[in-house]
């Protein structure tokens, strides 16, 4: 989303012709390339894959040519208006009319994207694309009558590019495959089951089934249905009806103009002869048109009455190919069937007649509409919103924000889904930020006139914690980063909350923020870590960051205590340095730690648990600590819960974790302990984290740190609601234990994929 204007390649895949053109700023430019769409209509013996491959190879060939003509090379948009029932993600649900096979599950976008590595491919249903060409009409239905029949409803009151009434997958309006004469099917011996069997066989090319349906005078559709709307009203269906009528009533046929144009052979009736006969006033063809448009008129009236529509735009090669006689037949039925009641109460004859809009440029509608859609999408921004009081995320769209003099616009490239986000989503915290997310790598898109320093194209991350207000946090009580564009300002820049990162920063760089928090905690715990015995309680991503840093800084032993070690096992498999021991989080913890440390106990300990498990973690950890140990209260503490320390005293974690208190307390198990705490990182910690990730500049860790093993899944923004729900419900992503899930904003559709296991750089 939110791209810069450029030249796109737009494609219209129809049942007869496929066309391509260049588009700029929503308008077609230059020539239109056209070729015959590979089809099985006349050669049903051809394998479907052969036809599909031929089509996509030819599209890719022509698109490459246009791409080379379009100007400087680079990543471009390719918008494909596809003549089939296809989801907004480009996955076919039914291509019976196009390929004479359902082809359900075929991923057009992926197949074409593999052929066009320079392109971002978008796939829309062709009728949906055409509706965008007439968007200035506001609120209307677009009806197409060609090799198929469909309707799409456009509503300019809907937000962004969601202006077509459709389900979440982008489907809706496939009225052509709805039966319109079920009573005729019920009257058959065997009823609808017989019709279904014959229809499927006829669509597959079975001549016996076609002959039987012709004997019964029952029309069939390429989808395999019998007596649905397409079987009566589509172009191929009308031609089949003409052939049936000519054979059943040879005398009527013999006296028609169509007979002369087809040289007296019903098998030679084609669209051109039919259209010429219609325009010549042939009564035989006029009667066929009356039969073809009756059910269509009913469908149009129903759609208008149900949705309150006063305009129906008609496109499609068959309707416009026949022209005025076809429209006269449809208008005749509309006048006859429209009742002065309900939605149509009080309509005048002129209003009824004006219901149909016959555009002057139907041949351009699909290509031009696809161009308009791509252009509109550039000004659209997506946000993942958490509705107040609900444990779900909703993908919404809105207008692109503007940049003020003291503001910056940032476009996230990557954003991490962390445990805090999940707690807010679950309702375990009382925060309602609207838009979640606080870990990101973002590109500077626009800079206000009063801003100096960052320039467009720079990459940054954000410190979500306001340095002067511990309660002001991005993605907590301020809208976060799960959106295409976010606005920040001079104040955040002046306070050091924008931190530059290298140009090649990958998904693992979203962990810069938690790494900065870990480095701050380690700095508060001890100046030197080399040769020290370390205990980390908690094996979530934050706990694993503590393990990685302790290992990198030369700790003598690193022990992890956790209720489950499955995330740790995944991380180690992916290349994270392993701890010396992993112990169950339970009563045997102290004995285990002392065994690992040769009886010394842990000198440095970090409590990095989730929720409100901190006090319980402290109770189990006290006996595992060496005398004069340092303990950091990193995570798992909520306000109001006190820690029990030695001598019957208690400790309030709040001031400690706010960095305002450092207390030496008696250890309930004996000896003394220094308790420290912190929340988040400061500017210096972010700089240290950046150096540690980019070059290993930290003097204690000359080899640097590789956090790629901690990114287990990379997903698209539309996939995140489902991913978050699965984590909340099952603790998995696509059935696997996750580490950090990262949104890649460049991914389209609902993509969820395991991150590749990174190449091992070696253990520092």
């Amino acid at each position: 989303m939110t791209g810069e204007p450029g030249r796109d390649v737009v494609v219209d895949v129809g049942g007869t012709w496929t066309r391509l053109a260049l588009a700029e700023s929503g308008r077609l430019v230059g020539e239109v390339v056209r070729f015959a769409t590979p089809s099985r209509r006349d050669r049903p013996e051809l394998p479907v894959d052969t036809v599909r491959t031929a089509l996509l190879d030819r599209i890719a060939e022509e698109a490459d040519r246009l791409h080379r003509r379009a100007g400087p090379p680079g990543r471009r948009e390719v918008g494909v208006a596809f003549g089939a029932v296809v989801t907004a993600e480009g996955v076919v649900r039914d291509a019976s009319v196009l390929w004479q096979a359902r082809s359900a599950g075929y991923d057009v976008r992926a197949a074409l994207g593999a052929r066009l590595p320079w392109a971002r491919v978008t796939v829309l249903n062709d009728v949906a694309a055409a509706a965008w060409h007439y968007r200035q009409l506001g609120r209307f239905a677009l009806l197409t009558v060609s090799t198929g029949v469909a309707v799409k409803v456009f509503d300019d009151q809907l937000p962004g590019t969601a202006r077509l009434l459709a389900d979440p997958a982008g489907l809706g309006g496939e009225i052509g495959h709805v039966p319109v004469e079920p009573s005729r099917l019920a009257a058959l011996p065997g009823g609808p089951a017989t019709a279904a069997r014959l229809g499927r066989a006829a669509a597959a090319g079975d001549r016996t089934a076609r002959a039987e349906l012709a004997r019964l005078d029952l029309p069939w559709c390429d989808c395999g249905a019998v007596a649905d709307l397409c079987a009566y009203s589509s172009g191929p269906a009308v031609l089949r009806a003409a052939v049936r009528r000519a054979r059943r009533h040879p005398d009527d046929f013999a006296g028609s103009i169509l007979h002369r144009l087809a040289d007296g052979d019903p098998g030679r009736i084609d669209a051109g002869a039919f259209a010429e006969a219609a325009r010549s006033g042939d009564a035989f063809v006029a009667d066929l048109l009356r039969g073809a448009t009756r059910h269509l008129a009913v469908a149009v009236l129903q759609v208008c009455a149900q949705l309150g529509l006063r305009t129906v735009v008609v496109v499609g090669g068959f309707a416009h190919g026949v022209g005025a006689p076809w429209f006269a037949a449809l208008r005749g039925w509309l006048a006859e069937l429209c009742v002065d009641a309900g939605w149509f109460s009080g309509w005048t004859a002129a209003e009824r007649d004006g219901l149909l809009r016959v555009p002057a440029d139907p041949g351009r509608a699909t290509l031009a509409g696809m161009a308009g859609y791509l252009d509109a999408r550039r000004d659209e921004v997506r946000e993942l919103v958490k509705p107040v009081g609900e444990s779900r995320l909703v993908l919404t769209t809105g207008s692109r924000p503007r940049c003020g003099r003291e503001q910056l616009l940032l476009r996230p490239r990557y954003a991490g889904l962390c445990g805090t986000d999940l707690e807010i989503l679950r309702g375990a915290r009382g925060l309602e930020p609207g838009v979640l997310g606080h870990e990101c790598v973002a590109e500077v898109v626009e800079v206000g006139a009063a801003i100096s320093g960052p320039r467009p194209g720079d990459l940054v991350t954000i410190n979500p914690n306001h340095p002067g207000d511990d309660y002001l946090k991005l993605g907590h009580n301020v809208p976060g980063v799960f959106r295409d564009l976010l606005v920040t300002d001079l104040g955040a820049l002046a306070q050091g909350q924008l931190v530059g990162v290298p140009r090649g920063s990958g998904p693992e760089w979203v962990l810069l923020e938690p790494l900065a928090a870990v480095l701050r905690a380690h700095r508060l715990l001890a100046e030197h870590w080399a040769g020290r015995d370390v205990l980390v309680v908690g094996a979530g991503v934050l706990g694993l960051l503590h393990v990685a840093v302790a290992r990198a800084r030369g700790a003598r032993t690193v022990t992890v205590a956790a209720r489950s070690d499955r995330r740790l096992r995944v991380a180690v498999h992916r290349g994270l340095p392993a701890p010396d021991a992993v112990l169950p989080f339970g009563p045997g913890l102290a004995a285990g730690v002392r065994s690992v440390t040769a009886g010394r106990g842990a000198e440095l300990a970090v409590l990095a648990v989730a929720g409100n498990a901190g006090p319980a973690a402290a109770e189990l950890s006290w006996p595992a600590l060496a005398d004069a140990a340092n303990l950091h209260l990193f995570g798992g503490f909520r306000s109001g819960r006190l820690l029990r320390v030695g001598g019957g005293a208690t400790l309030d974690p709040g001031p400690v974790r706010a960095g305002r208190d450092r207390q030496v307390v008696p250890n309930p198990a004996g000896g003394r302990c220094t308790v420290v705490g912190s929340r988040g990182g400061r500017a210096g910690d972010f700089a240290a984290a950046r150096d540690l990730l980019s070059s290993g500049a930290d003097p204690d860790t000359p080899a640097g740190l590789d956090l790629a093993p901690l990114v287990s899944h990379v997903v698209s923004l539309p996939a995140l609601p489902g991913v978050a729900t699965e984590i909340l419900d099952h603790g998995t992503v696509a059935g696997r234990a996750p580490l950090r899930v990262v949104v890649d904003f460049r991914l389209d559709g609902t993509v969820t994929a395991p991150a590749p296991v990174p190449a091992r750089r070696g253990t520092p």
Side-chain angles (χ1 to χ4, degrees), residues 285-295 325 328-330 332-333 336:
V285 169
D287 191 51
L288 285 166
L289 287 177
R290 285 273 294 170
T293 53
R294 179 169 64 93
H295 293 300
L330 181 59
W333 280 118
E336 185 174 333

Side-chain angles (χ1 to χ4, degrees), residues 1-2 159-162 377 379-387 392-402 409-412 415 425 432-437 474 478-488 716-722 743 745:
M1 307 294 167
T2 65
T161 55
R377 193 172 64 175
D379 288 329
E380 177 184 79
V381 292
R382 303 166 299 172
E383 292 184 339
L384 274 187
V385 175
K386 176 196 178 297
R392 65 188 181 102
L393 295 173
V394 178
L395 185 65
T396 65
T397 57
S399 300
R400 177 187 174 103
R402 299 180 63 184
L409 287 187
L410 306 180
R411 177 190 296 129
L425 189 57
E432 297 285 359
V435 179
L436 293 178
L474 183 73
V478 174
V481 301
F482 291 149
R483 45 183 165 163
D484 283 318
L485 279 178
L486 61 108
V487 181
T488 187
S716 66
L717 188 68
L720 194 59
V743 175
F745 285 80

Side-chain angles (χ1 to χ4, degrees), residues 419-605:
T420 300
D421 300 321
L422 293 168
E423 287 184 0
I424 295 172
L425 189 57
R426 186 184 293 115
R429 300 189 181 213
L431 304 169
E432 297 285 359
V435 179
L436 293 178
H438 58 273
E439 300 175 355
C440 75
V441 171
E443 178 185 354
V444 178
V445 176
E446 193 173 343
V447 178
I451 299 289
S452 60
R455 306 313 308 160
D458 290 349
L459 291 187
V460 299
T461 190
I462 304 173
N463 182 352
N465 303 291
H466 190 287
D469 186 344
D470 198 44
Y471 291 96
L472 191 61
K473 296 176 181 287
L474 183 73
H476 292 61
N477 53 6
V478 174
V481 301
F482 291 149
R483 45 183 165 163
D484 283 318
L485 279 178
L486 61 108
V487 181
T488 187
D489 56 32
L490 185 62
L493 183 64
Q495 291 154 177
Q497 289 182 264
L498 297 186
V499 180
V501 298
R503 282 192 174 275
S505 299
E508 70 274 13
W509 278 77
V510 303
L511 293 167
L512 187 71
E513 184 271 327
L515 178 61
V518 166
L519 293 182
R520 184 183 180 203
H522 283 219
R523 177 166 51 83
L524 291 170
L525 262 175
E527 184 178 352
H528 300 294
W529 284 62
R532 313 288 289 273
D533 295 306
V534 176
L535 169 64
V536 177
V537 181
V541 169
L542 288 167
L544 298 178
L545 279 172
H546 283 287
V547 171
V549 173
R551 265 278 177 246
R553 286 182 162 172
R556 177 165 51 193
T557 64
V558 179
T559 302
V560 174
R563 297 189 187 280
S564 169
D565 67 346
R566 64 176 183 167
R567 287 184 174 143
L568 176 60
R569 284 188 279 109
V570 171
V572 170
H573 169 72
R574 294 177 54 79
L576 191 80
D580 294 282
V582 181
L583 302 175
F585 183 55
L589 175 61
V593 171
R594 294 198 176 273
S595 174
V596 173
T597 60
R600 294 183 298 272
E603 300 169 83
L604 304 175

